[in-house]
Amino acid sequence: MIWVAATLIAATAQTVRNAAQAGLTRDVGTGGATAVRFVFGFPFAALAFVAASVWMPLPSPDLRVIGWASLGAVAQIAATAFMLLTMRDRGFGIATALMKTEPVTLALIGAVILAEPLGPARLGAIILATLGVVLASGASWSRAAWGPLASGVLAGALFGLSSIGFRGALLALPDGGYVLRAVTVLTITLGLQAAIMLAWLALGDRAALRGIVSQWRISLGAGALGAFASLFWFIGFALTPASNVRTLALVEVVMAQIVSGRVFRQTVRPVQLIGMALIMAGVGWLLVVAAG
């Protein structure tokens, strides 16, 4: 069950990275803060790649690997754009809940594209945990317009598609252990995303580009955390279907609610407690199914 440990490490590192990126948003804007995870994460991935190559031969990526990695890279950038659009229109609570529908779409896409077995038990666990996220978000759905709802679900689907691309690239590598394959695909993916975001900022938002350079210390920290989190996401993807990884990662919602209550003294409503219980039940069910 190495994928379980890898997923929990990735979710924790991602939470810290998100906090670092949030601090940058005020100074460099949304586009600049989004670019940080890719532009400043790539050097750390490349360094890990070079270090690994000193000790052992790395797998050689072919066009299939590049194709899958490109799919994941572009889908992740597009998903981020739709996520930010949803947050702008409907706020953080609804946007977060809609993003977390990703495991459901991910399981369906994986069954179609990668022919990964779904099964009623696994699908039931994923749906149960996802329903828990919707309730635990505490979002007010009565005033949610169809446009933002559609963009939020689309963002979740695109995040799911990006995970499929990353897992496809990992499976397409001809040899190497799960760590070596994760390092290789991570380096390719972040290299593509860094190039895309640098070109985007150079053409359309040079102020943000100058901003992330001027804030290079914080940007480096966020980039390092992002690369570290992505490495462990990829290790998880190399060992089990991506929907298993992303469903287990929903425990992050429970941890965030606990921190909000204890640290920030925010009130948790009964329906949110029910949602957290459903998340834990769904995740537990998934782990039982995955253990066979």
Side-chain angles (χ1 to χ4, degrees):
M1 302 291 281
I2 296 175
W3 71 270
V4 174
T7 300
L8 295 177
I9 292 171
T12 303
Q14 180 168 286
T15 300
V16 180
R17 185 210 67 200
N18 288 343
Q21 278 186 288
L24 283 170
T25 303
R26 295 187 301 269
D27 299 321
V28 301
T30 302
T34 301
V36 162
R37 64 178 295 190
F38 307 126
V39 175
F40 287 87
F42 173 66
F44 292 98
L47 183 62
F49 182 84
V50 171
S53 67
V54 172
W55 294 99
M56 59 195 73
L58 291 171
S60 301
D62 55 18
L63 289 179
R64 288 181 64 241
V65 176
I66 301 298
W68 281 112
S70 299
L71 171 65
V74 174
Q76 190 175 54
I77 291 175
T80 302
F82 279 106
M83 176 189 71
L84 297 173
L85 178 64
T86 306
M87 286 183 176
R88 185 194 68 185
D89 291 341
R90 297 310 308 171
F92 184 79
I94 289 179
T96 299
L98 291 170
M99 297 312 108
K100 298 303 184 179
T101 60
E102 174 195 353
V104 177
T105 56
L106 181 51
L108 297 175
I109 294 171
V112 173
I113 296 181
L114 296 179
E116 293 179 335
L118 189 54
R122 183 162 159 256
L123 181 59
I126 292 170
I127 292 175
L128 183 64
T130 304
L131 175 61
V133 172
V134 174
L135 296 178
S137 69
S140 175
W141 298 92
S142 59
R143 293 174 293 176
W146 283 107
L149 286 176
S151 65
V153 172
L154 180 57
L158 285 168
F159 275 124
L161 184 61
S162 71
S163 297
I164 289 296
F166 300 146
R167 177 158 167 81
L170 290 160
L171 295 178
L173 282 172
D175 50 23
Y178 58 87
V179 175
L180 290 179
R181 286 184 286 135
V183 170
T184 302
V185 173
L186 174 65
T187 305
I188 295 171
T189 300
L190 283 179
L192 290 170
Q193 291 172 321
I196 292 171
M197 292 307 300
L198 282 174
W200 177 273
L201 293 178
L203 293 174
D205 196 350
R206 294 187 180 180
L209 183 58
R210 290 192 294 269
I212 63 175
V213 173
S214 66
Q215 298 284 342
W216 63 271
R217 290 184 178 85
I218 300 176
S219 298
L220 271 178
L225 285 168
F228 182 79
S230 294
L231 174 61
F232 281 91
W233 286 130
F234 285 15
I235 288 174
F237 292 156
L239 293 170
T240 190
S243 57
N244 288 353
V245 174
R246 301 305 292 171
T247 302
L248 176 59
L250 294 180
V251 298
E252 176 189 349
V253 177
V254 178
M255 291 188 290
Q257 290 288 359
I258 293 173
V259 170
S260 296
R262 289 186 175 273
V263 177
F264 299 108
R265 305 298 180 186
Q266 295 178 354
T267 303
V268 179
R269 303 202 310 270
V271 67
Q272 292 176 283
L273 292 174
I274 294 173
M276 286 188 278
L278 291 178
I279 292 172
M280 298 309 296
V283 168
W285 185 6
L286 177 71
L287 292 177
V288 171
V289 172

